[in-house]
């Protein structure tokens, strides 16, 4: 019998889980453990995977010029696409004005959230770990990436009798981690079934109620995200990368569905790396440099969401933001999206920073809490989609032959 492709299995799991979560709310507790196991397995491999992949990637780049060129392209791509996304968010929220007349009775106390948010300055400072083992233990992505780049770079400078075994060793660890990833991917349909039925059981029954109050805001966020994903990024793929956007999105179906259901770019990272390398044909060198960085730094969906949400809150409180203030929203949203971790609800937490920069009421976050989980799914998929587009475009600019 022909094996059903994994993305169809995942899609079937998604549909079944929505039905199961909705109709069997009580029984859901018997399946949520599958979701927890799947997430734990993904989290288990992130730290060793990014460490080994970046070290072997940077070793593969070979020289300071190559590393410099690659970093410039990568950061150029991240900044440009995040900025475009934020501006799209701003435009859409100004057209739809979802906050005008919104029900302020919904607000909840959100002041304690501030504690979870770190400022952009802190984020920069924390890039340098005081203890790399602690950073690994806590899966502190930016610190691990920083140390791994440094390690890989200086490993190219040592005598070849040391360098060669080191390179082989890290390549070997990377290959093993990829094998483990491929093994875990096989359980994605079950994991996703567990995760989604849990979410549906929790939220579905007030969905109609939530939607009637928050519909326009949700629609504004989702439309803007769709426009960015299906118009802007494909145009970049086509004209900048000279690749077929349809083939690439098809190749990314498993990581995109996983990003959507887990709401975590970090947890999706192993699957994104596997798909970009195996399905789109990007070299390990580019994949292992662009994707781990992208999972924490490049968050187009989050930048867009921040813009729409901050303006939505301002509108709801009847506060008119001047053009200059709106430019500040775009810039802080950009920085906040860089600072946000690739975990569920990180974007909501950093909104408090933007609100306080602008002097807007922090309780405004309470307005958007009800639909946060759903919007997180959409924006995380966009975050991951943009990372993979960046990997493909950069690989092409490095003269690689791809499969898409
Ligand atoms: N959940 C998002 C991610 O992992 C971050 C966010 O909350 O916006 O990419």
């Amino acid at each position: 019998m022909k094996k059903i492709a994994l993305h169809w299995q995942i899609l079937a799991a998604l549909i079944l889980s929505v039905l199961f979560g909705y109709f069997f709310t009580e029984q859901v507790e018997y399946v949520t453990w599958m979701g927890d196991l799947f997430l734990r397995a993904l989290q288990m491999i992130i730290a060793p995977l990014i460490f080994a992949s970046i070290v072997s990637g940077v070793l593969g780049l070979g020289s300071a010029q190559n590393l410099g060129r690659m970093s410039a392209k990568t950061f150029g791509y991240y900044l440009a696409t995040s900025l475009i996304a934020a501006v799209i968010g701003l435009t859409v929220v100004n057209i739809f004005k979802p906050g005008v007349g919104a029900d302020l009775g919904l607000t909840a106390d959100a002041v304690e959230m501030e504690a979870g948010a770190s400022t952009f300055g802190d984020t920069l400072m924390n890039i340098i770990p005081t203890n790399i083992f602690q950073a690994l233990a806590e899966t502190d992505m930016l610190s691990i990436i920083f140390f791994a780049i440094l390690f890989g770079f200086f490993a190219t400078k040592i005598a070849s009798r040391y360098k060669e075994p080191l390179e082989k060793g890290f390549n070997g660890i990377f290959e093993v981690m990829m094998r483990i990833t491929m093994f875990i991917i096989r359980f994605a349909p079950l994991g996703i079934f567990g995760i989604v039925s849990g979410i549906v059981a929790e939220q579905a029954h007030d969905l109609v109620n939530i939607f009637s109050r928050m519909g326009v805001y949700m629609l504004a966020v989702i439309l803007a995200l769709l426009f960015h994903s299906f118009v802007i990024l494909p145009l970049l793929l086509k004209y900048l990368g000279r690749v077929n956007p349809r083939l690439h999105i098809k190749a990314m179906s498993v990581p995109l569905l996983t990003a959507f259901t887990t709401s975590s770019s970090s947890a999706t990272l192993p699957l994104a790396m596997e798909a970009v390398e195996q399905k789109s044909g990007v070299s390990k060198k580019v994949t292992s440099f662009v994707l781990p960085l992208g999972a924490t730094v490049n968050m187009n969906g989050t930048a867009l969401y921040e813009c729409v949400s901050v303006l939505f809150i301002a509108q709801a409180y009847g506060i008119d933001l001047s053009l200059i203030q709106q430019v500040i929203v775009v810039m802080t949203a950009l920085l906040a999206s860089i600072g946000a971790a690739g975990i569920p609800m990180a974007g909501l937490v950093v909104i408090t920073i933007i609100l306080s920069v602008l002097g807007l009421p922090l309780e405004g976050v309470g307005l958007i809490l009800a639909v946060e989980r759903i919007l997180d799914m959409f924006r995380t998929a966009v975050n991951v989609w943009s990372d993979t587009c960046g990997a493909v475009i950069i690989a092409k600019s490095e003269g690689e032959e791809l499969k898409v």
Side-chain angles (χ1 to χ4, degrees):
M1 199 176 77
K2 199 167 160 280
K3 204 168 161 283
I4 303 167
L6 189 63
H7 57 269
W8 291 121
Q9 292 182 29
I10 294 180
L11 221 53
L14 253 175
I15 296 168
L16 286 176
S17 59
V18 171
L19 294 173
F20 185 74
Y22 193 82
F23 291 108
F24 297 93
T25 317
E26 302 288 312
Q27 286 75 18
V28 157
E29 58 178 303
Y30 300 115
V31 296
T32 44
W33 62 269
M34 298 195 298
D36 295 340
L37 269 189
F38 179 61
L39 282 177
R40 290 183 73 100
L42 287 176
Q43 280 155 358
M44 168 183 83
I45 52 176
I46 295 172
L49 174 65
I50 53 177
F51 192 75
S53 78
I54 292 180
V55 172
S56 70
V58 173
L59 266 166
L61 285 171
S63 68
Q65 281 100 316
N66 286 346
L67 182 62
R69 193 185 60 244
M70 191 74 111
S71 319
K73 283 182 189 174
T74 308
F75 281 102
Y77 172 86
Y78 293 166
L79 285 178
T81 51
S82 300
L83 189 65
I84 295 172
V87 172
I88 292 173
L90 193 74
T91 313
V92 169
V93 74
N94 275 306
I95 295 172
F96 280 75
K97 298 205 186 316
V100 176
D103 179 6
L104 286 177
L106 266 175
T107 54
D109 199 10
V111 181
E112 70 271 18
M113 280 195 162
E114 232 184 336
S118 57
T119 64
F120 187 65
D122 284 346
T123 308
L124 277 185
M125 187 67 118
N126 292 339
I127 287 178
I128 300 184
T130 49
N131 179 342
I132 183 60
F133 295 103
Q134 189 185 358
L136 284 166
E138 290 169 1
T139 321
D140 193 344
M141 299 270 272
L142 286 178
S143 306
I144 300 175
I145 292 171
F146 175 80
F147 184 81
I149 292 177
L150 213 62
F151 188 93
F153 178 70
F154 285 102
T156 61
K157 308 273 180 213
I158 60 178
S160 59
R161 67 179 186 283
Y162 298 125
K163 189 181 116 184
E164 276 157 20
L166 210 56
E167 191 164 4
K168 279 193 190 137
F170 274 103
N171 283 343
I173 298 175
F174 175 72
E175 294 296 329
V176 174
M177 298 317 297
M178 281 319 248
R179 290 294 167 110
I180 300 180
T181 304
M182 287 191 237
F183 176 68
I184 297 172
I185 290 177
R186 289 204 239 149
F187 298 94
L190 290 175
I192 284 171
F193 182 81
I195 297 171
V196 178
S197 43
I199 300 172
V200 172
E202 246 173 56
Q203 305 228 336
H205 294 277
D206 14 87
L207 206 61
V208 178
N209 186 11
I210 291 174
F211 199 78
S212 65
R213 286 186 315 212
M214 304 293 284
V216 186
Y217 162 69
M218 288 171 76
L219 218 66
V221 175
I222 293 172
L223 272 182
L225 288 173
L226 290 177
F227 182 77
H228 186 68
S229 309
F230 290 107
V231 179
I232 302 294
L233 293 175
L235 283 175
L236 292 180
L237 280 175
K238 194 159 174 187
Y239 293 104
L240 205 61
R242 308 233 161 258
V243 296
N244 184 332
R246 265 213 306 218
L247 286 184
H248 180 56
I249 201 165
K250 210 169 147 223
M252 293 306 113
S253 50
V254 171
L256 291 181
L257 285 167
T258 311
F260 184 76
T261 45
T262 59
S263 296
S264 168
S265 310
S266 302
T268 312
L269 178 64
L271 311 198
M273 290 179 74
E274 198 268 345
V276 165
E277 220 188 298
Q278 309 289 334
K279 301 255 169 60
S280 293
V282 175
S283 69
K284 187 179 81 186
K285 210 169 62 185
V286 173
T287 311
S288 55
F289 191 78
V290 178
L291 289 185
L293 261 178
T296 22
V297 172
N298 184 41
M299 296 200 177
N300 292 182
T302 303
L304 184 156
Y305 164 81
E306 310 275 303
C307 275
V308 178
S309 304
V310 169
L311 263 92
F312 168 76
I313 292 169
Q315 288 168 356
Y317 281 91
I319 300 166
D320 248 338
L321 295 183
S322 66
L323 191 66
I324 300 286
Q325 280 174 311
Q326 301 208 10
V327 172
I328 295 177
V329 173
V330 169
M331 297 325 277
T332 39
L334 191 74
L335 295 181
S337 74
I338 295 175
I343 53 171
M345 290 180 72
L348 182 76
V349 177
V350 293
I351 280 189
T352 54
I353 301 175
I354 309 181
L355 292 178
S356 52
V357 167
L358 289 161
L360 292 172
L362 282 186
E363 308 76 57
V365 172
L367 275 176
I368 54 177
L369 273 182
V371 289
E372 161 60 14
R373 188 67 178 89
I374 300 171
L375 295 180
D376 199 2
M377 299 170 94
F378 284 92
R379 65 176 189 260
T380 307
V382 177
N383 291 344
V384 172
W385 171 229
S386 170
D387 295 342
T388 69
C389 292
V392 164
I393 291 171
I394 291 167
K396 263 297 178 97
S397 76
E398 292 282 304
E400 292 184 11
E401 278 295 323
L402 305 185
K403 295 182 191 163
V404 288

